[in-house]
Amino acid sequence: MSELPESRDRRFATTLARGLSVLRAFRASDDGLGNAEISERTGIPKSTVSRLTFTLQSLGYLTHARRQDRYRPGPALLALGNVAQASISFVDLSGPIMQRLADETATLSLLLVRDGSRLLIVKTWRPRGVSSLWLEAGHRLPLKGTSSGHTLLAAMPEDLFAATVVNAAGDRGLTAEGASKARQDAYAQLITKGYNITPPDEYFTANIHAVSKPFQSRDLAEPVVFTCGAMPKDLTVERMEAQVGPKLNEAIKELERIMGQPPSITVRD
């Protein structure tokens, strides 16, 4: 687990940060996690993980059914997630818009947020009656080599961009110079087209094509990213340019109008 710049501040509560790292280690596809697996995913020593999981279980944030000593998200975490979703109004408002977009374009539509040095998928909308990518809520994507990651870099304010690049340095070869170029290229597309497509030869994996657009909610201090993705054979660059990108752009504009917000990306001084 890489050190956060904030961890050098005396106000930073390391134990709390580690406890939250344990909760973030879980993925929707997991059939529970043992202490050793949590330690491997977080980089926290197993002895420390054991104390954290015991405490989180005692508070209801993890549950432990004694099946091979595996932990699962608990009822307190479910309640906390429901409160968070209810308080961030754009999440529910975006649902019908993004489901319609998924159906019209036959792509998997995603909502992603920054999670430290990576992006975390928090919502997915699958096209009805069409097989789609296996990506699901809880999956993490790198900043480098993804349309979502480059779009987030482009939409960040300068101070957050600088701090994020420091924290993410080295992940899949990310450098400050490379991050700045990705930010500039994505920003240029967002201003001229309204969406961003990272060139496929820069993708971190060859089995996904995607187009992305940021959204800055009044409920949050930093932007999030909406993305449409599919297998390259189903979502060519030409199709992204001609159909999916423009439809994604209009979908996010519709969300901005519903919420009475200005455009999330504007020309910088």
Side-chain angles (χ1 to χ4, degrees), residues 214-257:
F215 176 75
Q216 179 63 66
S217 169
R218 285 189 295 249
D219 298 324
L220 300 176
E222 60 185 77
V224 301
V225 175
F226 286 96
T227 291
C228 291
M231 299 288 287
K233 65 181 180 63
D234 300 317
L235 188 58
T236 62
V237 173
E238 292 74 19
R239 184 166 174 251
M240 285 191 283
E241 292 276 7
Q243 180 193 25
V244 181
K247 282 184 176 290
L248 174 61
N249 184 33
E250 288 305 314
I252 303 310
K253 284 184 177 181
E254 180 181 351
L255 179 60
E256 290 167 344
R257 288 193 296 269

Side-chain angles (χ1 to χ4, degrees), residues 38-57:
I38 295 173
S39 176
E40 182 179 353
R41 288 188 182 183
T42 62
I44 301 172
K46 185 179 176 182
S47 58
T48 302
V49 168
S50 297
R51 295 194 297 272
L52 292 170
T53 52
F54 176 82
T55 302
L56 290 167
Q57 179 199 357

Side-chain angles (χ1 to χ4, degrees), residues 159-208:
D159 56 344
L160 180 59
F161 169 76
T164 299
V165 170
V166 168
N167 190 37
D171 185 24
R172 296 191 177 273
L174 182 69
T175 63
E177 181 180 2
S180 294
K181 183 179 185 305
R183 173 178 167 88
Q184 293 168 2
D185 292 347
Y187 177 76
Q189 286 195 56
L190 291 169
I191 290 298
T192 58
K193 302 177 182 178
Y195 55 86
N196 173 56
I197 301 171
T198 293
D201 60 0
E202 297 181 18
Y203 281 14
F204 82 103
T205 180
N207 62 355
I208 298 175

